[in-house]
Amino acid sequence: MSLPAGWVEKTSRESGKTYFLNTMTNASQWDRPEEPAQDGVRASHLLVKHRDSRRPSSWREEDITRTKEEALEILKVHRARIDSGEVKFADLAATESDCSSAKRGGDLGPFARGQMQKPFEEATYRLRVGQLSEPVITDSGVHIILRTG
């Protein structure tokens, strides 16, 4: 069966397993693609705002007073809980993210270059599908990003 347009089949040097590369974005994934490649990514995120965020309020807190350092510490605890398997990313984002995307488990939907703040965009494009970022700092606050497409 041939691959949809824009995808190539590769073999991992580390594991010897087959993976698939989107030739438009250089994103890779283990699962065989069913749709043609698109020039863009899809991601979910968990945002923790702080008092110096461009809008220091959210659906969770009207007046956010924590420091950026406190926000980073909160995010590190969230990341550890996800990494340990204690909680799923989407479930934690739904209750702890300061972004309105929380109601969708942090899902931001698909986006292309130039649509997000530069640090967020760069971090997302560097991730492989299914990979979770380290903390990313933007004008909105601090994020962990899960690339989903």
Side-chain angles (χ1 to χ4, degrees):
M1 181 192 318
S2 65
L3 289 170
W7 291 95
V8 294
E9 189 171 312
K10 299 274 195 170
T11 302
S12 168
R13 284 182 275 208
E14 274 185 40
S15 68
K17 290 171 49 176
T18 298
Y19 69 96
F20 302 92
L21 180 71
N22 177 325
T23 60
M24 294 181 184
T25 64
N26 285 328
S28 61
Q29 64 186 51
W30 295 110
D31 296 328
R32 184 177 194 84
E34 297 177 10
E35 302 291 326
Q38 296 180 0
D39 184 18
V41 294
R42 185 175 188 136
S44 295
H45 76 137
L46 194 160
L47 170 66
V48 178
K49 291 185 174 186
H50 51 81
R51 65 180 174 219
D52 297 321
S53 296
R54 68 177 173 190
R55 198 175 66 79
S57 65
S58 76
W59 68 275
R60 296 179 62 240
E61 284 179 84
E62 190 173 324
D63 185 27
I64 295 173
T65 59
R66 73 179 69 87
T67 66
K68 184 192 295 186
E69 293 72 25
E70 290 169 328
L72 277 165
E73 285 306 312
I74 291 167
L75 204 62
K76 286 177 185 175
V77 170
H78 291 336
R79 170 73 196 249
R81 291 182 66 204
I82 294 164
D83 287 345
S84 73
E86 175 188 337
V87 66
K88 291 188 183 325
F89 182 93
D91 294 338
L92 193 61
T95 59
E96 302 301 319
S97 181
D98 286 318
C99 180
S100 61
S101 67
K103 62 182 166 260
R104 296 181 304 280
D107 183 18
L108 295 168
F111 58 90
R113 290 195 184 276
Q115 291 184 281
M116 298 290 181
Q117 293 176 54
K118 199 68 170 163
F120 191 96
E121 172 189 300
E122 289 173 354
T124 304
Y125 273 85
R126 277 195 306 268
L127 295 170
R128 293 182 311 279
V129 173
Q131 187 178 14
L132 196 58
S133 75
E134 294 301 320
V136 175
I137 298 169
T138 70
D139 291 343
S140 297
V142 293
H143 316 249
I144 48 177
I145 304 165
L146 174 64
R147 181 154 174 191
T148 56

